[in-house]
Amino acid sequence: MEALLATRLISAQHGRALAAAAQAGDEQARNQLLALLARELLPLASALTGGSDEADELLQDTLSRVFERLRQLQEPQAIFSWAKRILLHRFIDSRRLVRRRAEVPLELASFRIAAPPREDVIALREAVTGLARSERALLVMHYWLGLTLAECAQELNLPVGTVKSRLNAALTKLRRKLGEVE
Amino acid sequence: MSGLEQRLRELFAEQAGARELRHVTFRKRAGFGWVPSALVAAGTFFVLLLLASGVVALRSWLEGPRPVGAPPPTVIVTPSPPAASTQPPASQDFEKIGIADRPACAVAAAPPLILATFGIGADVSFRCVLHLSRDDGRTWRAQLETENVRAVAVDVRTKSIFAGTTNGRIWRGDFEGRWRLVYETPPGTFQPVVERFAFHNEQIFAAVRGVLVSKDGETWRDITAGLGTFDSDISRRGRFSIVGMTGFAKDLLIAINANLPEVGLWATDGLTWRRLGLPPGSGLPAALATNARVVVLAVDRAGDRQASAAWVSRDAGSSWLRATRGAENVELFALDASPAGIFAGASEGVLTLDEQDLSWKPIATHKPKFVRGLRTSTGRLYVAAWDGLWLYPLSR
């Protein structure tokens, strides 16, 4: 865990330095920054999209957006959270997901082998896939990213009460789909 | 935390690790001043449009009325064409024969006919458009323009060309580029991508969520039954990619990269399937090729996501020898074997295998980037890569 935290810290420091250099017009730094962001954001994109090919599209689109708006970033140290927020919002509002790949074409992603999924995992995966994108995003933010309800509310620009009720509604829907309603 | 919440956590953690970056490459730098660039591009486009309209109007006035019919397909002229000859060019290095600034996705050839797919703009991930050249890559005509084509094949025996699409269709054409649909996957098939074709024992095979076979290119029979647990509905929904398919002796070999139990190397005599072991400690299959003597398998190097490794079997997969020397720091994406040799397309360049000492050597000074497809034909090697379609003469 400590090693992981140290790696993330180095990553964050590196990202901040690269963001500042990229904003100053250093093309090499900008490309390195986007590569770093790609690696940082792929797990989130993959979790949101159920590990599907859409993760590549979402990531590509997010990086294009970052690429376009890099100069507007006020605090280079916030590069990761800023990019993460862009990714979340572009996932939630799929209408924003336009094909920008010609601007930042990446050679993405292979897939990793996993044990064959169990039937209950498949059922859960399908139930989650059936939820609205905003509900899926909320579940990922809360249960995988570990954000508190207040942090989720801040990310989504919603009142905490709304986030709480949406989370409960999403869990209820899942239980119903899985036949686990008491 | 309830059981459901814990399961969600585990599910998202698993899905988060389901994909990984192989490499990140930026080809085109739009720069921050993209708005003025876009305006300039739009202005240029309209000026060109006006000029083109003028030329068309002038031509039509000069030539008089034209016969009514379907418009001719777009012809794209490459900037530096090779000589239109069936003899290999004299150069000892790669020559670019593809469409300028277009990445190539797949290639098949029977010179002077070449069938290749090219990405839209700088990208090949979303859409690959099929193109046909009948003059050694000098001019190209777009084919089946509404389709996203992943697999191509040329059957010299029946003078047919085949195209497999991402929506599970197989098209058959003649050398003039007249196409008809000969196969469609059943509705509801999960991710029905036609990934590749192979010729073996006077039959053509297609990899599409399993394996199809045809003797005449017209009627196709599914021979997937018996391949692992593939009959199960559950297993049909997992990720599954046939990364290599080739004949070896009496068998057809396929290499499967999947998150299903079917992962690995399989052989069929057309009736039953049997599993051939993967090399011990290897990663997942990435590409497969055979010649009369050996089976060559490229795999993701286990435990190291940055590179891959190759293995060679001289006994049809019973035992494996590692063949990584000369390719230590590259990823191998594509393999092709012919009497002229065994070739590997890598993240940078094309390598050839010395079958005696099992080492790889680069074949030319130019190094195509991120090779996706290789095909040898009539003393030539065709290479579909991120930076275009390339031709290399094998006859020295």
Side-chain angles (χ1 to χ4, degrees), chain B residues 25-39:
Chain B
T25 309
F26 304 93
R27 289 190 76 247
K28 189 176 168 186
R29 291 169 185 172
F32 293 109
W34 64 276
V35 172
S37 304
L39 290 174

Side-chain angles (χ1 to χ4, degrees), chain B residues 288-297 310-313 334-345 350-355 358-361 363 374 376 381 394:
Chain B
L288 174 71
T290 56
N291 63 15
R293 299 173 297 277
V294 296
V295 178
V296 185
L297 180 70
W311 296 80
V312 172
S313 175
L335 290 170
D336 187 76
S338 73
I342 293 168
F343 302 95
V350 177
L351 311 171
T352 184
L353 180 70
D354 182 326
E355 284 185 45
L358 299 182
S359 65
W360 296 93
K361 293 175 185 65
I363 64 167
L374 292 170
T376 45
L381 176 66
L394 295 172

Side-chain angles (χ1 to χ4, degrees), chain B residues 13-32:
Chain B
E14 183 196 317
Q15 289 177 344
R19 305 183 75 76
E20 65 186 52
L21 286 172
R22 278 194 161 174
H23 39 257
V24 184
T25 309
F26 304 93
R27 289 190 76 247
K28 189 176 168 186
R29 291 169 185 172
F32 293 109

